[in-house]
């Protein structure tokens, strides 16, 4: 996949937003420069997830931003999203790759070097590694050391995205790790000014990503 598309990776969370407000935030982020969007929904029915994914895809398509669906292979295929992201407790990576086919993007969560190497071998296109810092998005998420993140980047040939508690103020600590990008939830979705926050991330990422 295109490594540059992973630079600023928006992972959605609706918090208490109305549907209209949520979609407006996603559109503002796409317009402002996020390079990829992952739609993450844990508490919707299949049909609700499908309907929301269609609406989000209309936005991402308009800005030529790839849409990744979190967890749900069926929803990914139903809306013809760019790809799927799976964690430790979803389908085996090799099975997801077989069903998706070779053209769609497959991202995999990898918190250890062992998992990273297995995911790469099984067909992952990129890895999501973290939580790098404490995060309220995933309660009790174990922290991944920055040194582990760096080792994973060194050991695999596919791109690695850091995730977990990342803000425009703390990503400086990732300089020299070899990441392809950062995945952000709260610091973008709850920003007072999404456009300004997006630009702050992109400016810093120019110095972090080599």
């Amino acid at each position: 996949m295109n490594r540059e598309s992973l630079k600023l990776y928006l992972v959605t969370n609706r918090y208490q937003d109305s549907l209209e407000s949520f979609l407006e935030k996603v559109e503002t982020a796409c317009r402002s420069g996020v390079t990829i969007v992952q739609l993450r929904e844990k508490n919707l029915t299949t049909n609700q997830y499908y309907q929301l994914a269609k609406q989000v895809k209309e936005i991402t398509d308009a800005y030529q931003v790839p849409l990744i669906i979190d967890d749900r292979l069926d929803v990914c295929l139903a809306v013809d999203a760019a790809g799927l992201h799976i964690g430790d407790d979803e389908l085996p990576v090799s099975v997801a790759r077989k069903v998706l086919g070779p053209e769609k993007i497959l991202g995999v969560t990898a918190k250890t070097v062992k998992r990273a190497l297995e995911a790469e071998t099984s067909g992952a296109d990129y890895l999501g590694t973290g939580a790098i810092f404490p995060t309220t998005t995933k309660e009790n998420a174990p922290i991944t050391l920055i040194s582990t993140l760096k080792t994973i980047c060194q050991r695999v040939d596919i791109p690695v995205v850091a995730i977990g508690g990342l803000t425009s103020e703390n990503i400086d600590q990732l300089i020299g790790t070899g990441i392809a990008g950062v995945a952000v939830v709260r610091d973008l979705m709850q920003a007072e000014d999404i456009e300004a926050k997006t630009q702050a991330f992109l400016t810093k990422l120019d110095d972090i990503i080599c």
Side-chain angles (χ1 to χ4, degrees):
M1 67 172 299
N2 181 2
R3 180 184 173 93
E4 292 181 1
S5 68
L6 296 169
K7 184 177 182 178
L8 183 52
Y9 189 131
L10 172 65
V11 180
T12 68
N13 189 323
R14 285 189 294 168
Y15 297 103
Q16 303 302 316
D17 293 329
S18 66
L19 175 60
E20 182 181 8
S21 177
F22 171 74
L23 294 174
E24 184 178 338
K25 286 183 175 183
V26 172
E27 180 166 11
T28 300
C30 288
R31 184 177 66 246
S32 301
V34 299
T35 55
I36 193 166
V37 172
Q38 178 180 316
L39 181 62
R40 177 195 278 169
E41 291 290 340
K42 300 295 186 183
N43 301 308
L44 295 182
T45 66
T46 298
N47 186 56
Q48 288 171 332
Y49 201 164
Y50 167 71
Q51 297 296 339
L52 181 62
K54 284 203 304 181
Q55 291 176 283
V56 172
K57 189 171 183 290
E58 287 182 9
I59 296 169
T60 56
D61 282 355
Y63 291 93
Q64 297 183 308
V65 173
L67 175 63
I68 304 296
I69 300 296
D70 182 60
D71 291 355
R72 295 293 299 269
L73 177 60
D74 54 343
V75 175
C76 172
L77 294 174
V79 301
D80 193 24
L84 175 75
H85 188 94
I86 56 175
D88 295 329
D89 53 355
E90 275 90 52
L91 285 170
V93 179
S94 59
V95 174
R97 169 52 71 199
K98 182 178 180 180
V99 177
L100 278 176
E103 300 303 319
K104 289 200 180 296
I105 299 167
L106 178 58
V108 177
T109 298
K111 304 177 188 296
T112 65
V113 174
K114 181 175 183 287
R115 170 69 168 170
L117 293 170
E118 289 173 348
E120 180 179 32
T121 301
S122 298
D125 292 304
Y126 73 91
L127 304 174
T129 298
I132 304 302
F133 300 110
T135 173
T136 57
T137 303
K138 274 195 172 182
E139 294 183 7
N140 304 317
I143 299 300
T144 299
L145 298 175
I146 292 178
S147 58
T148 300
L149 171 66
K150 184 174 182 178
T151 301
I152 289 173
C153 290
Q154 292 171 337
R155 294 287 302 277
V156 299
D157 292 324
I158 56 178
V160 178
V161 176
I163 189 170
L166 299 174
T167 70
S168 58
E169 285 75 37
N170 65 21
I171 60 172
D172 293 332
Q173 297 179 52
L174 303 181
I175 291 175
T177 56
I179 57 169
V182 296
V184 183
V185 188
R186 181 179 294 273
D187 208 40
L188 279 173
M189 294 301 298
Q190 293 199 317
E192 290 186 10
D193 185 335
I194 292 176
E195 182 176 0
K197 179 61 73 170
T198 300
Q199 291 306 310
F201 270 108
L202 291 171
T203 297
K204 283 201 171 183
L205 288 168
D206 284 339
D207 295 326
I208 295 170
I209 298 171
C210 301

